[in-house]
Amino acid sequence: MPLFAKVKNPLELVKSLRDYLLVLEQHGSGSKKAEKAVEESSKILQQIKSILYGSGDHEPQTELAAQLAQEFYNFDMPFHIIKNLANLDFEAKKDVAQIFNNILRRQIGVRSPTVEYICTKSDILFMLVRGYDNPDIALNCGVMLRECIKHELLAKIVLESESFYSFYTYVELSTFDIASDAFSTFKELLTRHKVLCAQFLEGSYDKVFDKYHVLLNSENYVTRRQSLKLLGELLLDRHNYTVMTRYISNPENLKMIMNMLRDKSRNIQFEAFHVFKVFVANPNKAKPIQDILLKNQERLVDFLMKFHNDRTEDEQFNDEKQFLIKQIKEMSEGDGGKVGGAVGGATS
Amino acid sequence: MSSCCQRLSQVVPLDQSSIATMATDQPITFSVSLDQSHHQMIMDERADGFTSNHEDYEFFQSIGIGCYGIANIQLSRHKPTNRIIVVRQFDLESLDTDKLEEVQNEMKYSSLLSHPNILSYHCSFVSDTLLWAIQPLMHYGSCADLMHSAQSFCNGFRENVIVLVIYVRAKHFRIHEGGRVKLSGIRNLTSTMDSGARKRALHGHFQSTGDNICWLAPEVLAQDLFGYTYKSDIYSIGIAALELATGEAPFAGLPLTEIMMLKLRGHPPMLMRRHENVDPIQDYSKTFFKVVDMCVDPNPLKRPNTTKLLSLSFLKSSRKKSSVIHSSLKDLLLPVVPLNTESLSPPAPLHDQPPPPPPSNNTAVASTPVDPPFRALTLDEPWLI
């Protein structure tokens, strides 16, 4: 921002930004008018950013920042700005994300006014999710969306909507950077707010895990590896006890995980081990689970004895492996799988 | 040769004012807007129709290894557009979760950065367990490569070259055919923006700290409550200047703990020649030493900020019209010539033979990607399910 230029007040800034965004909406890209609007909105966004964040050694101006936020709500700016995000230029998109995140963290006492505002305008969240469809804005939307779902109220809206399920497509996108970003948002949604997540997973168990199995069998190595790791984390989280019990009583799940133990990728084998251990460590194994384990008793013991023996430094892994070998060895027909008891590090 | 994933800079927020701190030819002011035409150029470079299909790329030869030694760097041609580019193949199977995340961040940051002096990726995609990341070809390679392979630079560059190249670390200065210097190694970027707030100082180590200890400022190593700021990057610039001048970073070769102790005690880095019979002082001006001394001051507050640094006459020449600089850098690098891609493109259409290797490159030829080392499974029989 030029030091001596006339500094507009927040109302003026927001008003003119809105006007330029309207021009963009009406004229599309390419026209002279639109070009000017793109240029001008970049400048305004920079000014807004320096009010909120300060510039150089200058601290942000709290009073102006508060006014600015108020005008943002009054003019529905978060909505309009995200709607037109794709039309802005490269740096302006990043500015938008930073402005949005700054306004989002605003607090008045215990209230978070921006969170309340977005609750009434949940379209904003859905627009951000759909942002992953457009490579030009996907990462910017990801930055904003992850900030939103740090707030439980907003995470709930996303989880309970259909748009949550589009993540199953996004994490498999062929563009690596966008897929990676989508996965971190997906993971955040499923793990951040423990109680909410557990309720969600229980309530939507079938839909969530049906689709999840597609990820576990993805052709994309990274998707497979990451989703398997996340599955292990979800099952071992004590909040998800009910979900875990349900998951490990399904023999189809066990079969899949046992096959993954023998995947050609060592990382996948290793992650599969951390899911497999939950099946074995369960003191109340369902009959079908027990049957499969018994049928493969010798093979499993043999297999585990040779499984990743070079991981000598990982003590927890080695303890767990020994525990599993012992468990499987001691299994016999008719004992209901009730051997052992405490599950070493498996549930920690 | 050490791996290529060394530290670029630890305190580079992803906003444009900070990008400006890394630019060689941008005026530094608060929140300066970058020249729009640059952006356009970069955007064109990015929206360039590079495809996410590995079959669209044809390898000529391997030109290096990077990223903890797991990235195979291949000189390649994008068949649909017939352009010569570089494919970096990361073997993801050999990365643990943390390093995988690091690589993922590198790709994300790269897409969020757009600057003529930053070497970013065109696109990246996964094929089997390999990550393919497509990058423009830097015809001269990195400055470290030049110092290690070209006879004329084995004792470092002359001062006038350093002025043109001066940013952060020789390994990460790559020189384009036109003489434009680009910064690579985005993996270790850190944003000073966090959850809608600007962090005044950073804390914490990076995975690669050990590899990069020579370039790290004392306050980064100290890990105290004060943390560190962009001034730590200024220190790294000073070290990089010394590295470019001598061919070796100061302290290089000493045990890690010793480097750490020396730095924490405020021991200033010294100019050391790899070949001791050459007097280090004669080639460089007093100003050069003065600037470097300021940059590597153990007290971050005494180091110049970027505005000050660029206003020094020492660096002023690099702010002249960029075209002049770029052509002059090309002349200064003679007799080293850029990698000649003419002979590569297009490959002989009728005969299915690989094209001849470029004359200026004598690195080992290994055109087939090495299969990742999977451990053979011990159990051949299937599960009984």
Side-chain angles (χ1 to χ4, degrees):
Chain A
M1 187 168 58
L3 281 178
F4 300 104
K6 185 183 171 296
V7 180
K8 285 183 176 169
N9 68 37
L11 177 63
E12 286 167 344
L13 283 175
V14 173
K15 257 189 174 167
S16 47
L17 180 57
R18 184 205 52 183
D19 292 344
Y20 287 122
L21 290 179
L22 275 176
V23 173
L24 280 181
E25 225 166 280
Q26 285 160 4
H27 292 263
S29 57
S31 69
K32 264 252 149 62
K33 257 191 158 170
E35 262 172 45
K36 172 129 196 313
V38 169
E39 207 175 296
E40 291 299 322
S41 6
S42 298
K43 283 185 199 155
I44 297 172
L45 287 166
Q46 274 180 39
Q47 293 183 34
I48 294 179
K49 195 174 105 178
S50 63
I51 290 178
L52 296 175
Y53 282 94
S55 56
D57 294 331
H58 301 282
E59 291 291 327
Q61 298 146 288
T62 333
E63 205 156 294
L64 284 183
Q67 272 182 47
L68 196 64
Q70 198 50 52
E71 300 304 342
F72 255 63
Y73 312 138
N74 292 346
F75 284 90
D76 242 348
M77 278 322 275
F79 178 82
H80 291 294
I81 219 169
I82 290 168
K83 193 169 168 205
N84 288 292
L85 192 59
N87 294 324
L88 298 175
D89 74 26
F90 189 84
E91 292 298 328
K93 286 175 192 151
K94 291 197 286 186
D95 288 343
V96 166
Q98 284 172 358
I99 291 167
F100 182 88
N101 286 352
N102 183 286
I103 290 193
L104 187 64
R105 77 196 297 266
R106 246 169 66 80
Q107 284 200 312
I108 305 176
V110 289
R111 286 181 50 221
S112 298
T114 313
V115 174
E116 288 167 17
Y117 164 82
I118 297 178
C119 279
T120 62
K121 294 256 169 202
S122 47
D123 258 0
I124 293 181
L125 294 171
F126 304 139
M127 281 195 304
L128 289 177
V129 176
R130 280 200 302 275
Y132 280 113
D133 281 325
N134 180 350
D136 290 340
I137 57 170
L139 295 178
N140 304 94
C141 288
V143 168
M144 290 185 267
L145 186 59
R146 267 194 304 285
E147 213 50 43
C148 285
I149 60 176
K150 282 187 185 163
H151 300 272
E152 192 163 348
L153 283 172
L154 303 183
K156 190 162 187 252
I157 296 177
V158 179
L159 280 177
E160 286 173 355
S161 73
E162 265 309 298
S163 63
F164 170 75
Y165 297 95
S166 42
F167 276 98
Y168 286 95
T169 324
Y170 296 144
V171 298
E172 274 203 281
L173 285 173
S174 63
T175 34
F176 180 73
D177 47 342
I178 300 175
S180 300
D181 193 84
F183 193 87
S184 42
T185 313
F186 179 68
K187 183 175 172 181
E188 186 87 359
L189 277 167
L190 287 178
T191 52
R192 175 110 190 171
H193 309 284
K194 301 291 181 198
V195 180
L196 170 71
C197 297
Q199 281 169 356
F200 167 70
L201 290 175
E202 275 172 63
S204 318
Y205 183 93
D206 289 327
K207 193 166 181 190
V208 169
F209 284 99
D210 277 356
K211 284 179 173 273
Y212 206 96
H213 283 180
V214 179
L215 298 187
L216 293 174
N217 292 309
S218 166
E219 279 188 11
N220 185 320
Y221 164 78
V222 179
T223 309
R224 246 175 344 131
R225 182 170 160 185
Q226 281 185 319
S227 53
L228 184 57
K229 184 170 179 3
L230 178 60
L231 176 66
E233 289 170 23
L234 289 175
L235 296 182
L236 288 175
D237 190 322
R238 59 186 72 234
H239 292 89
N240 297 332
Y241 182 80
T242 325
V243 173
M244 185 262 281
T245 332
R246 186 160 170 196
Y247 192 87
I248 62 170
S249 53
N250 184 340
E252 291 308 312
N253 294 341
L254 177 61
K255 286 181 199 168
M256 185 182 65
I257 297 298
M258 278 171 71
N259 284 328
M260 289 180 119
L261 278 176
R262 308 175 61 185
D263 195 278
K264 63 172 181 164
S265 150
R266 257 172 75 81
N267 288 300
I268 295 204
Q269 294 166 11
F270 186 64
E271 297 303 342
F273 174 85
H274 289 296
V275 180
F276 177 68
K277 72 187 180 189
V278 191
F279 285 93
V280 181
N282 177 15
N284 302 307
K285 297 181 191 64
K287 181 83 171 83
I289 300 290
Q290 210 190 346
D291 290 346
I292 295 178
L293 293 177
L294 274 174
K295 226 189 288 177
N296 291 283
Q297 196 170 26
E298 260 173 55
R299 273 163 212 233
L300 276 169
V301 170
D302 194 38
F303 178 79
L304 287 173
M305 299 276 253
K306 293 174 192 158
F307 185 75
H308 289 220
N309 283 342
D310 49 348
R311 260 180 223 276
T312 44
E313 279 171 22
D314 191 340
E315 266 183 45
Q316 189 178 336
F317 165 73
N318 285 307
D319 289 351
E320 287 173 359
K321 196 171 79 171
Q322 290 312 318
F323 177 77
L324 293 197
I325 293 174
K326 187 166 162 276
Q327 287 280 328
I328 296 172
K329 266 187 184 164
E330 287 173 2
M331 277 181 75
S332 60
E333 294 285 356
D335 68 354
K338 281 185 186 166
V339 276
V343 186
T347 51
S348 64
Chain B
M1 213 164 70
S2 55
S3 68
C4 179
C5 49
Q6 269 89 22
R7 169 174 182 278
L8 151 65
S9 155
Q10 298 201 308
V11 196
V12 183
L14 299 177
D15 66 349
Q16 60 206 25
S17 49
S18 63
I19 288 174
T21 65
M22 307 198 301
T24 48
D25 50 6
Q26 295 295 332
I28 306 294
T29 53
F30 295 139
S31 307
V32 46
S33 165
L34 296 174
D35 180 0
Q36 295 295 325
S37 63
H38 270 321
H39 276 303
Q40 203 44 55
M41 185 185 84
I42 298 271
M43 290 314 288
D44 290 347
E45 237 178 66
R46 299 178 74 95
D48 33 26
F50 281 106
T51 38
S52 304
N53 182 354
H54 66 96
E55 283 171 4
D56 287 342
Y57 298 87
E58 170 184 43
F59 290 162
F60 294 121
Q61 67 177 105
S62 170
I63 51 172
I65 301 287
C67 180
Y68 306 111
I70 58 106
N72 192 0
I73 305 166
Q74 300 271 4
L75 182 62
S76 325
R77 185 172 71 98
H78 182 233
K79 288 191 258 179
T81 55
N82 202 25
R83 265 179 299 177
I84 302 295
I85 38 87
V86 164
V87 174
R88 269 171 176 257
Q89 282 185 317
F90 296 79
D91 174 16
L92 299 177
E93 177 65 9
S94 59
L95 289 180
D96 61 26
T97 311
D98 289 344
K99 286 192 177 135
L100 175 64
E101 208 166 285
E102 234 178 77
V103 172
Q104 287 180 311
N105 282 338
E106 175 171 0
M107 298 303 151
K108 280 200 262 179
Y109 284 159
S110 161
S111 313
L112 284 169
L113 291 172
S114 150
H115 190 276
N117 294 109
I118 293 181
L119 183 62
S120 29
Y121 294 99
H122 291 302
C123 71
S124 53
F125 56 90
V126 178
S127 166
D128 196 17
T129 60
L130 295 177
L131 171 68
W132 294 49
I134 315 301
Q135 256 181 339
L137 172 65
M138 299 304 279
H139 301 74
Y140 284 97
S142 75
C143 292
D145 291 343
L146 285 177
M147 289 190 293
H148 282 106
S149 57
Q151 199 64 49
S152 23
F153 300 117
C154 68
N155 268 328
F157 295 94
R158 298 187 66 83
E159 191 175 314
N160 45 8
V161 178
I162 300 175
V163 175
L164 298 178
V165 178
I166 183 125
Y167 284 98
V168 188
R169 182 165 177 186
K171 188 80 203 173
H172 288 288
F173 298 129
R174 288 169 194 272
I175 303 176
H176 189 253
E177 181 180 36
R180 186 178 276 288
V181 179
K182 292 194 185 216
L183 205 52
S184 72
I186 325 177
R187 183 164 325 123
N188 297 316
L189 279 181
T190 300
S191 175
T192 54
M193 296 292 199
D194 181 37
S195 305
R198 191 194 290 274
K199 288 190 262 184
R200 292 282 155 201
L202 292 172
H203 301 84
H205 267 309
F206 291 78
Q207 280 224 339
S208 46
T209 298
D211 297 340
N212 300 324
I213 197 159
C214 294
W215 289 264
L216 294 179
E219 67 272 14
V220 179
L221 299 175
Q223 290 290 306
D224 54 22
L225 286 175
F226 301 106
Y228 46 91
T229 64
Y230 75 93
K231 286 289 183 72
S232 310
D233 286 340
I234 304 287
Y235 182 94
S236 304
I237 290 174
I239 298 284
L242 290 176
E243 183 188 11
L244 291 170
T246 62
E248 204 77 74
F251 302 117
L254 295 178
L256 289 188
T257 40
E258 195 174 340
I259 302 179
M260 182 139 170
M261 289 319 295
L262 287 173
K263 287 199 174 188
L264 289 178
R265 285 190 194 133
H267 205 284
M270 290 167 300
L271 196 58
M272 280 186 293
R273 273 265 192 266
R274 210 189 292 175
H275 303 291
E276 299 208 336
N277 52 355
V278 188
D279 177 14
I281 308 299
Q282 66 180 17
D283 295 348
Y284 301 94
S285 65
K286 276 193 181 137
T287 340
F288 177 76
F289 288 111
K290 228 177 100 188
V291 173
V292 170
D293 271 348
M294 283 198 307
C295 291
V296 298
D297 196 303
N299 179 358
L301 297 175
K302 286 191 186 159
R303 289 175 212 149
N305 61 20
T306 43
T307 321
K308 173 103 185 287
L309 199 57
L310 284 183
S311 68
L312 299 169
S313 56
F314 173 69
L315 280 171
K316 268 206 174 133
S317 55
S318 71
R319 294 177 58 183
K320 285 179 204 152
K321 266 247 164 289
S322 51
S323 57
V324 179
I325 297 166
H326 295 150
S327 61
S328 63
L329 182 56
K330 209 171 170 179
D331 293 339
L332 288 170
L333 287 174
L334 284 171
V336 176
V337 290
L339 186 62
N340 178 12
T341 53
E342 294 290 308
S343 59
L344 296 171
S345 169
L350 290 177
H351 316 287
D352 254 351
Q353 282 169 354
S360 66
N361 199 306
N362 50 9
T363 38
V365 176
S367 55
T368 43
V370 188
D371 279 332
F374 287 130
R375 200 185 63 125
L377 279 168
T378 46
L379 190 73
D380 294 318
E381 294 166 82
W383 303 119
L384 303 171
I385 43 184

